[in-house]
Amino acid sequence: MNHERFMQRALDEARKGLGRTSPNPPVGAVVVRDGEIVAVGHHERAGGRHAEVVALERAGEKARGADLYVTLEPCNHVGRTGPCAPAVIEAGIARVFVGSPDPNPIVSGRGIRRMRRAGLAVEVGLLRDECDTLIEAWAQFITSGRPFVTLKVASTLDGRIATRTGDSQWITGERARGLVHALRDEVDAVIVGAGTVAADDPRLTARVPGGRDPLRVVLSSRLEVSPRARLFHGASVAKTLVACVSPAPEAEAAALRAAGAEIVECRGVNGRIDLGDLLARLATLGIVHVLVEGGARIFGAFLAAGFCDRLLLHYGPKVFGGGPAWTDEPAVARVADAPGFRFVQVSELGGDLVVEARPVERHPAKRTVRTSVEKADEKQAAGGSTRQIGASAREAAPARRASRRRKPALE
């Protein structure tokens, strides 16, 4: 039986929920009987049925004696919906293939242990890397308490985001810009600075078929944003927040509220927005993944603060030879002090170059923490009583470490 093919289908189902399930993770499930898929399901929205329940209800009696493939460990706690592990047991499932254990240390392994105690055969780690990547934003959110941050930059080959006169439309081509709209459809919020609003007057919407617009967040320490900006007057139902340093200027705040904006007052550092406070406030709104789209001071502030989990660089095949660079921070004096990145993927898209990079830890710590699932797997490998399909324990990916809170500043 091609187990990877069925888990891949579960991943495809889960991706349908990207940007729609926060503060819950995207999850997909597939029920397979006699080598044939009989039902699929995914988690559609927070508060809605979980993927396993959707798939099991669709399978009905065909679930008895069948296999269940699920991208994330079935939950065993009561939240806005009932626990999934008991539902899997009651449906009569014989075997369960789990992609990722739940990264939440408070609940990790409970669903798996409950199913194993009920006599189900449970294998953990099928397509683990792909399943971990699917929920990486949520995993950071649930373990560190702050949103996952993606920086998206469109620049020329010499790193410019505009000409010396400020002209910036368009540096990249239509397909690269279409990719940005798809990204907006998958994240919870888009962040830009007041300078970008003034220069480009963007709508920050996801113009893709069936798409939904993210929360729009504008950063301006003194609310220097025009109430006439298109952000406040388009057809989108998405909210627009304007973040500033507390206390907010009364006249400017009143004008922006009249235009439909919500004002978020943050702590200030040297007259600028405390980024750590901003991200914490967004987390309380259930924002799991934010996409930062500029401009240069915004990119620089996030980089200098260490709030960059993924960097996407879209290079247009142009050279300006002048104009603003995409960042001017952290402005290191020595090469050894520069933040390091590793390339994850480089591809060509419609004549543009798309580069994905991830930050590199300066002094990565040795792994000392194992999840409860991994401990159980090791017990099985040593001849213990815990049931698991397969002869040996899996060497799991390193556990994510909670990020240290810092006090960065912005605009």
Side-chain angles (χ1 to χ4, degrees):
M1 188 178 296
N2 192 337
H3 298 300
E4 291 190 355
R5 178 172 70 87
F6 297 132
M7 184 61 80
Q8 188 60 60
R9 178 62 187 276
L11 283 163
D12 292 341
E13 286 295 311
R15 292 187 184 100
K16 296 177 182 178
L18 286 170
R20 291 150 175 81
T21 63
S22 295
N24 292 345
V27 182
V30 173
V31 178
V32 176
R33 187 183 182 95
D34 299 326
E36 298 292 334
I37 294 175
V38 297
V40 300
H42 71 278
H43 185 39
E44 296 182 1
R45 59 178 178 80
R49 295 175 302 166
H50 289 189
E52 306 95 312
V53 173
V54 173
L56 291 172
E57 288 182 356
R58 290 174 176 172
E61 283 301 311
K62 291 182 180 179
R64 296 206 169 272
D67 296 335
L68 175 68
Y69 295 78
V70 59
T71 58
L72 180 65
E73 174 185 349
C75 64
N76 191 42
H77 61 278
V78 178
R80 296 171 67 177
T81 61
C84 294
V88 173
I89 297 168
E90 292 170 8
I93 289 291
R95 296 191 300 178
V96 181
F97 296 84
V98 175
S100 298
D102 194 317
N104 186 346
I106 298 175
V107 301
S108 179
R110 292 183 181 179
I112 291 169
R113 287 194 295 272
R114 182 164 183 171
M115 291 186 294
R116 284 173 171 166
R117 285 197 300 266
L120 280 68
V122 181
E123 178 176 341
V124 182
L126 182 62
L127 294 189
R128 172 75 182 266
D129 289 344
E130 291 89 336
C131 292
D132 282 354
T133 298
L134 175 72
I135 60 165
E136 66 175 341
W138 179 77
Q140 173 165 288
F141 172 81
I142 205 68
T143 57
S144 73
R146 76 160 174 88
F148 186 91
V149 178
T150 294
L151 270 57
K152 193 285 300 178
V153 181
S155 84
T156 60
L157 294 177
D158 56 339
R160 310 293 179 173
I161 57 174
T163 68
R164 61 182 178 81
T165 64
D167 186 25
S168 62
Q169 296 182 353
W170 297 103
I171 291 175
T172 56
E174 185 175 344
R175 291 185 64 187
R177 297 198 300 274
L179 179 59
V180 175
H181 288 294
L183 284 170
R184 292 174 184 169
D185 178 54
E186 295 181 352
V187 301
D188 302 306
V190 172
I191 295 177
V192 297
T196 296
V197 175
D200 299 337
D201 198 15
R203 287 178 285 176
L204 301 179
T205 53
R207 297 185 285 281
V208 295
R212 29 71 62 199
D213 296 333
L215 175 73
R216 286 84 59 88
V217 182
V218 181
L219 308 185
S220 179
S221 59
R222 304 308 300 161
L223 295 183
E224 296 171 332
V225 181
S226 171
R228 295 186 296 275
R230 291 197 298 176
L231 282 169
F232 309 120
H233 301 288
S236 177
V237 298
K239 293 181 179 180
T240 300
L241 307 186
V242 182
C244 67
V245 172
S246 181
E250 293 184 7
E252 288 81 355
L256 288 169
R257 288 191 180 106
E262 295 185 16
I263 308 301
V264 178
E265 299 182 44
C266 300
R267 288 198 304 264
V269 178
N270 298 324
R272 296 180 177 181
I273 294 171
D274 182 330
L275 272 184
D277 186 48
L278 169 70
L279 291 174
R281 291 173 185 274
L282 292 177
T284 64
L285 299 177
I287 301 300
V288 171
H289 190 176
V290 300
L291 179 66
V292 180
E293 294 199 37
R297 293 186 68 189
I298 307 299
F299 290 139
F302 274 88
L303 283 174
F307 289 139
C308 175
D309 302 300
R310 179 173 65 160
L311 178 61
L312 294 177
L313 292 161
H314 293 189
Y315 288 108
K318 303 174 179 68
V319 173
F320 287 170
W326 71 264
T327 185
D328 55 7
E329 290 191 66
V332 298
R334 302 186 309 154
V335 172
D337 296 330
F341 288 82
R342 60 182 177 85
F343 292 118
V344 175
Q345 185 174 9
V346 179
S347 59
E348 188 269 345
L349 181 64
D352 298 315
L353 194 65
V354 178
V355 177
E356 178 180 354
R358 303 294 180 108
V360 175
E361 292 185 46
R362 289 183 178 276
H363 304 289
K366 291 183 179 180
R367 186 182 180 208
T368 59
V369 178
R370 293 169 297 157
T371 68
S372 58
V373 175
E374 291 163 343
K375 292 176 182 177
D377 287 347
E378 289 170 3
K379 181 179 179 182
Q380 168 69 13
S385 61
T386 302
R387 295 187 64 187
Q388 181 186 13
I389 298 171
S392 63
R394 164 186 45 78
E395 179 62 30
R400 290 179 174 83
R401 300 172 60 87
S403 303
R404 293 181 178 178
R405 294 281 178 95
R406 303 166 78 173
K407 291 187 176 181
L410 179 64
E411 283 210 339

